[in-house]
Amino acid sequence: MARPRRASPVPPPGGGTRGPAAPVPRSRWLGLLLAGVVGSAAAQYRGPLFDAHLHYNVEACGHAAAATTTTECPHPLPDVLERLQRNGVRAIVANSRPNDGTRALAQAGEQARAAGVAVVPFVRLYRDRADYNNWFRDPSILDMVNTELARGTPAGPYRGLGEFHLYDSGNADGPVARQLMALADRKDLAILAHVDDVAVEKLMGHTPSKGQSTRLIWAHTGIGGSSVARVDALFARFPRLHGELSYRPGLTCGEGTLCPEWRALLLKYPDRFLIGSDTWVNQRWLQYDGLMQGYRAWLGTLPPEVAKKIAWDNGAALFGLTEPSPR
Ligand SMILES: [Zn+2]
């Protein structure tokens, strides 16, 4: 997500369902379950989750400033890890503006292990909000990316680039966008891209493999609402294109229920979808429990092996993670 300087209120939480604005107290959650509001307790998916779209931005915690006050750091590392742990999130694609937040997560080492969370670090292309609308033609972004890649993280090498945004698909042809896509193929880096369907085609076209070996995670699977038929056609054409499902319009029809055409698409491509939180503003951290509960509700309506793939296996396979031990 993260269209900067947007005047409209924060959209409803991911998974297309409207979740609570804050973690649901255990007693209230039980009440909702009993009332059948969020799907039956028996139907909930209960396995591990891979959050394929997580930001730990400067507003959540100003790591560069070594902030300690709650104003500068409303979501310190222990708070974030606690939210992941209590929701059964066992791995995250971590990226942040600037990259200090990702480095803090990657540096967490023992703390992250204790919480049972594997960190898959991505290089964000943004030093600040001004970069959102210029990265695709700014050579200094390429320099920054190469510096970060050379530096690596305490959790190992960066595994991908993004999230980046293109609000105009024509900018997918920008010189830096082209160079970064070629770099991703060369270095086997995944891409996390908030773009439309036309930009997916353009970006794939800029890689040496013409998108045949490119691991592109399509943030929101088209937040503008690309049709199911169009998503299907792109998946058929690009074998390693994956769809991340936060904010996806039309995904759910009511709490815990997948809309029929999306259910059919998930069943057609069970190896290609991922879930994500998209904590692009701090409000999303406050909603984190509700977001994950929303996913667990509709995942529970799918055949168990398909639910497990979308919840965990597909992300784990993208980055070679092993099955987490039960907690
Ligand atoms: Zn995002």
Side-chain angles (χ1 to χ4, degrees):
M1 195 60 196
R3 189 171 184 104
R5 298 184 209 92
R6 170 174 37 206
S8 58
V10 177
T17 55
R18 184 172 291 275
V24 179
R26 195 175 296 269
S27 56
R28 180 165 141 67
W29 180 239
L30 188 63
L32 289 172
L33 285 176
L34 291 173
V37 171
V38 289
S40 77
Q44 295 277 309
Y45 166 78
R46 297 188 180 282
L49 295 175
F50 184 113
D51 183 345
H53 187 159
L54 181 141
H55 305 290
Y56 195 19
N57 288 336
V58 66
E59 298 89 357
C61 192
H63 296 282
T68 51
T69 66
T70 49
T71 320
E72 291 169 310
C73 192
H75 296 290
L77 205 53
D79 174 81
V80 166
L81 291 174
E82 162 65 20
R83 287 175 196 276
L84 301 177
Q85 184 173 13
R86 73 176 177 233
N87 283 290
V89 173
R90 306 301 301 274
I92 55 173
V93 162
N95 72 107
S96 64
R97 164 183 43 77
N99 284 303
D100 306 86
T102 302
R103 300 191 66 81
L105 282 164
Q107 208 152 14
E110 191 46 48
Q111 275 174 287
R113 270 191 296 280
V117 177
V119 176
V120 179
F122 274 35
V123 183
R124 194 91 197 257
L125 307 190
Y126 309 146
R127 298 156 297 195
D128 54 39
R129 288 205 180 274
D131 287 334
Y132 280 75
N133 296 307
N134 212 39
W135 67 269
F136 43 84
R137 59 181 158 229
D138 180 350
S140 74
I141 296 293
L142 193 60
D143 293 342
M144 185 266 281
V145 168
N146 279 319
T147 301
E148 280 298 319
L149 289 176
R151 188 179 174 208
T153 83
Y158 284 102
R159 306 298 306 277
L161 307 177
E163 183 193 21
F164 62 67
H165 300 73
L166 291 170
Y167 301 121
D168 174 349
S169 56
N171 291 329
D173 294 331
V176 173
R178 289 172 181 267
Q179 287 168 296
L180 287 173
M181 291 307 296
L183 179 75
D185 249 24
R186 253 191 346 263
K187 291 189 177 280
D188 196 26
L189 295 164
I191 294 284
L192 177 59
H194 173 132
V195 298
D196 66 14
D197 52 319
V198 175
V200 167
E201 288 180 310
K202 285 176 176 284
L203 292 170
M204 290 296 205
H206 297 325
T207 65
S209 73
K210 299 296 170 208
Q212 292 308 296
S213 63
T214 310
R215 286 177 297 156
L216 194 155
I217 300 172
W218 189 5
H220 321 298
T221 321
I223 201 159
S226 302
S227 71
V228 165
R230 180 75 167 132
V231 175
D232 188 341
L234 289 171
F235 273 30
R237 186 164 154 205
F238 301 113
R240 302 189 79 193
L241 175 64
H242 286 66
E244 181 273 320
L245 293 166
S246 64
Y247 288 108
R248 169 62 224 196
L251 177 68
T252 55
C253 292
E255 296 287 347
T257 309
L258 288 165
C259 296
E261 62 174 0
W262 271 92
R263 183 182 173 83
L265 192 67
L266 266 49
L267 291 171
K268 182 171 181 181
Y269 295 101
D271 300 320
R272 307 283 287 281
F273 287 101
L274 305 157
I275 62 114
S277 59
D278 192 9
T279 45
W280 68 285
V281 286
N282 284 351
Q283 188 178 345
R284 297 285 283 184
W285 282 114
L286 299 176
Q287 294 171 337
Y288 200 89
D289 293 5
L291 291 167
M292 295 304 125
Q293 286 155 4
Y295 283 126
R296 288 185 182 281
W298 65 248
L299 283 167
T301 69
L302 291 166
E305 67 280 8
V306 175
K308 172 82 185 319
K309 283 179 181 220
I310 295 169
W312 173 263
D313 294 347
N314 297 343
L318 273 172
F319 302 103
L321 302 186
T322 53
E323 182 79 10
S325 53
R327 295 184 72 84

